[in-house]
Amino acid sequence: MKLNKTLIGIIAAVVIIGAWAASAYNSMVGVQEDATTALANVQSTYQRRADLIPNLVETVKGYAAHEKQTLEDVVAARSKATQVTLDPTNMTPEKLKEFQQAQGELGSALGRLIAIQENYPDLKANENFRDLQAQLEGTENRINEARNKYNEAVQNYNVVIRSFPKNILSGMFGFSQMTKFEAEAGAEKAPQVKF
């Protein structure tokens, strides 16, 4: 009789621990999926910007043909930025930094392209250019918002997997910390646009 109570107690403890472990695992999967979805949204927003650029470049080409180098710089930066992708399953701080650097170079090139309008009153008044510029400005805001949401999701994920006792399970099941987006080096200084 005493053996049965002990056996029942052991079985109950195993069931309770198993249920807790399953619940903890599922919650870690949930917050990880939130973070990877947020990362996909960041990449989607950057892709939207990359998709707008050819139209903007073509519009500027019609008005500012001799700004060839600026146009080529934008096209090259766009090409580089679209080649650097992030894989949430194999993301390192170095990969994130490379991605941010490529996107930063594209942003800088776009800034120079937008500044061209000051030298070309007809371009500044062109409806297509104004519409594209407004879309780009909106996209830059979306990028910022998507990056903030990603950072919040990563913070939540990192807290969950690092908090006791889930940190024991996270190590066993291979959940590792994710990296947040950070400000680019020199971001504290206002950009200077020069031609």
Side-chain angles (χ1 to χ4, degrees):
M1 191 67 144
K2 196 170 195 173
L3 182 62
N4 285 343
K5 286 183 181 182
T6 304
L7 186 59
I8 290 172
I10 292 171
I11 291 171
V14 168
V15 168
I16 289 170
I17 291 170
W20 170 80
S23 174
Y25 178 84
N26 290 339
S27 72
M28 289 186 290
V29 168
V31 293
Q32 183 182 48
E33 284 301 312
D34 290 344
T36 58
T37 298
L39 179 62
N41 291 341
V42 169
Q43 290 179 325
S44 173
T45 308
Y46 276 122
Q47 184 60 50
R48 182 180 193 280
R49 176 174 72 174
D51 292 345
L52 287 171
I53 290 170
N55 295 327
L56 187 65
V57 167
E58 287 304 313
T59 302
V60 173
K61 257 187 202 178
Y63 285 89
H66 64 279
E67 300 288 356
K68 185 177 179 186
Q69 187 59 50
T70 302
L71 296 170
E72 289 173 357
D73 289 349
V74 170
V75 171
R78 177 190 180 271
S79 176
K80 182 178 178 184
T82 56
Q83 289 175 4
V84 179
T85 59
L86 295 175
D87 177 5
T89 61
N90 188 22
M91 191 166 69
T92 63
E94 294 79 23
K95 292 244 184 220
L96 186 59
K97 186 176 181 178
E98 179 186 3
F99 180 80
Q100 281 187 265
Q101 184 177 4
Q103 294 299 333
E105 289 172 12
L106 179 56
S108 177
L110 274 174
R112 290 190 302 276
L113 181 66
I114 296 298
I116 287 175
Q117 72 168 323
E118 297 302 320
N119 297 329
Y120 299 92
D122 291 341
L123 174 60
K124 195 174 186 177
N126 179 279
E127 187 175 327
N128 289 338
F129 182 82
R130 286 195 326 256
D131 290 347
L132 288 166
Q133 186 177 8
Q135 287 184 41
L136 273 174
E137 288 170 0
T139 299
E140 293 300 322
N141 289 335
R142 288 179 185 180
I143 288 170
N144 188 48
E145 186 64 28
R147 286 172 55 148
N148 287 340
K149 286 181 180 178
Y150 168 76
N151 283 347
E152 289 170 9
V154 167
Q155 178 178 349
N156 184 39
Y157 168 76
N158 287 344
V159 166
V160 167
I161 68 163
R162 292 176 61 213
S163 298
F164 183 80
K166 288 184 182 177
N167 64 339
I168 297 167
L169 290 177
S170 67
M172 289 173 37
F173 291 115
F175 290 93
S176 57
Q177 270 188 272
M178 294 179 74
T179 305
K180 296 179 185 178
F181 278 101
E182 296 177 359
E184 296 174 41
E188 69 279 357
K189 299 175 192 163
Q192 293 183 350
V193 178
K194 294 181 181 178
F195 293 102

